[in-house]
C-alpha cells in the first residue's frame, strides 16, 4: 500500500502555519476544536487504481481523497477566515496536483458560533509523485 498521508499533511500544515501562525492544524477529525482557527487535514479515502496494476498485482498507483475542514469562532468575519484557510490549503494541494472536487459550508448544530467549511481534494500517487485524476 502506498501511504502519502504524512507528506500531504505536513506540506499543508506547514503552509497554513506560515500564513497563520496561530492556526491549530490536526490530521484527525476533531468534534470540538480547543483553539481557533482550527483546520483538520484528513485522508478520507485511499484505494488502488486497478487499471494501473501489472501482472505482479503490485499497487503501482493509489487514488487518495483528502478532506480539509476549516473552523472559526470569530465574533465577525468567521466565514471569511474559513474561506481564506480553505483557499490556502487548496492552493498548496493544487500545486501538488490535487483537484478540488467539492466545497461546502457545514452547519454546526451543536454550537452556532463556530463556522465550518469542508473541501475535498483528489489525486493519485505512485509514492513519489502526485497526478491529477
Amino acid at each position: 500500500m502506498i501511504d502519502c498521508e504524512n507528506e500531504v499533511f505536513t506540506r499543508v500544515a506547514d503552509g497554513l502555519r506560515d500564513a497563520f501562525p496561530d492556526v491549530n492544524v490536526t490530521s484527525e477529525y476533531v468534534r470540538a476544536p480547543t483553539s481557533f482557527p482550527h483546520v483538520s487535514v484528513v485522508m478520507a479515502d485511499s484505494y488502488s487504481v486497478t487499471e494501473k496494476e501489472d501482472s505482479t498485482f503490485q499497487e503501482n498507483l493509489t487514488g487518495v481523497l483528502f478532506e480539509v475542514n476549516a473552523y472559526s469562532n470569530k465574533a465577525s468575519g468567521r466565514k471569511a477566515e474559513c474561506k481564506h484557510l480553505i483557499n490556502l490549503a487548496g492552493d498548496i494541494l493544487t500545486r501538488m496536483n490535487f483537484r478540488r472536487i467539492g466545497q461546502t459550508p457545514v452547519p454546526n448544530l451543536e454550537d452556532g458560533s463556530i463556522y465550518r467549511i469542508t473541501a475535498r481534494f483528489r489525486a493519485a500517487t505512485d509514492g513519489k509523485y502526485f497526478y491529477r485524476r
Side-chain angles (χ1 to χ4, degrees), residues 65-66 68 86 99-104 117-122:
L65 174 71
F66 278 81
V68 179
I86 288 289
R99 176 173 285 147
R100 184 175 56 85
I101 60 170
Q103 179 174 318
T104 186
I117 296 178
T118 298
R120 291 184 177 90
F121 300 86
R122 178 172 294 172

Side-chain angles (χ1 to χ4, degrees), residues 80-96:
E81 184 173 53
C82 284
K83 283 183 164 185
H84 187 62
L85 289 164
I86 288 289
N87 288 338
L88 285 171
D91 289 347
I92 295 163
L93 289 165
T94 298
R95 286 193 302 272
M96 293 175 67

Side-chain angles (χ1 to χ4, degrees), residues 10-133:
T10 300
R11 286 194 198 183
V12 174
D14 288 349
L16 288 172
R17 289 178 183 130
D18 285 346
F20 269 82
D22 295 334
V23 72
N24 178 19
V25 186
T26 64
S27 63
E28 298 176 355
Y29 170 75
V30 176
R31 182 175 177 177
T34 57
S35 65
F36 295 92
H38 176 83
V39 176
S40 65
V41 181
V42 179
M43 188 166 73
D45 197 8
S46 174
Y47 54 91
S48 181
V49 180
T50 56
E51 58 268 16
K52 297 297 182 181
E53 287 181 356
D54 57 21
S55 60
T56 65
F57 299 106
Q58 295 282 329
E59 187 174 78
N60 297 315
L61 200 62
T62 298
V64 291
L65 174 71
F66 278 81
E67 184 174 279
V68 179
N69 289 281
Y71 302 80
S72 177
N73 69 344
K74 287 177 108 176
S76 68
R78 57 183 179 240
K79 181 178 182 178
E81 184 173 53
C82 284
K83 283 183 164 185
H84 187 62
L85 289 164
I86 288 289
N87 288 338
L88 285 171
D91 289 347
I92 295 163
L93 289 165
T94 298
R95 286 193 302 272
M96 293 175 67
N97 277 333
F98 279 78
R99 176 173 285 147
R100 184 175 56 85
I101 60 170
Q103 179 174 318
T104 186
V106 178
N108 188 336
L109 301 176
E110 291 182 26
D111 185 350
S113 69
I114 299 172
Y115 195 84
R116 175 180 167 197
I117 296 178
T118 298
R120 291 184 177 90
F121 300 86
R122 178 172 294 172
T125 183
D126 58 7
K128 185 174 182 179
Y129 299 105
F130 293 92
Y131 307 95
R132 285 184 177 255
R133 297 243 339 134

